[in-house]
Amino acid sequence: MVVQRITLFKVSSADYVPTITAEYDKIPSAVKDGKHYVLSCKASETYEDKSSEGFNFAARMSFATLEDMNFYQDKCSAHQALKTVVIPLVAGRMTVYWEE
């Protein structure tokens, strides 16, 4: 089973999209126990749609295990660095995850 994780953002200015995308581009190089552990990471601005409720950027990530996803969430230095840059640029965020 693979754990899929999606985070949606309300990016407050289109000018911030390249910065946020660049931060997500760094995530595949993150390591846990000396090894790369993020199976995939894709991030992009979304299409505008009335049902999006203002969420205009999405990041989808895949992990081999829930333990890996929890490590990313709580202990990964690359994720902590990403949050330092991204959180001030967004007006809201929401994350969901599931096993596939």
Side-chain angles (χ1 to χ4, degrees):
M1 297 289 232
V2 173
V3 175
Q4 300 290 345
R5 180 181 198 264
I6 292 182
T7 302
L8 301 174
F9 297 96
K10 293 180 179 182
V11 179
S12 52
S13 170
D15 294 340
Y16 300 149
V17 169
T19 301
I20 297 169
T21 302
E23 289 302 309
Y24 271 100
D25 287 346
K26 298 174 187 177
I27 294 300
S29 63
V31 294
K32 175 185 169 200
D33 300 327
K35 298 177 184 173
H36 296 287
Y37 73 101
V38 177
L39 299 180
S40 71
C41 178
K42 304 289 184 193
S44 177
E45 191 170 18
T46 62
Y47 288 112
E48 192 172 323
D49 187 278
K50 62 183 175 186
S51 67
S52 66
E53 297 185 22
F55 289 98
N56 56 0
F57 191 93
R60 180 177 180 165
M61 303 179 68
S62 300
F63 301 91
T65 65
L66 185 58
E67 178 185 321
D68 285 350
M69 200 270 322
N70 286 331
F71 176 85
Y72 173 78
Q73 179 62 38
D74 300 327
K75 298 178 183 172
C76 178
S77 60
H79 184 225
Q80 300 310 312
L82 178 142
K83 290 193 299 186
T84 299
V85 173
V86 172
I87 288 175
L89 305 180
V90 301
R93 66 186 190 278
M94 173 179 53
T95 299
V96 296
Y97 55 93
W98 67 95
E99 246 181 17
E100 195 170 80

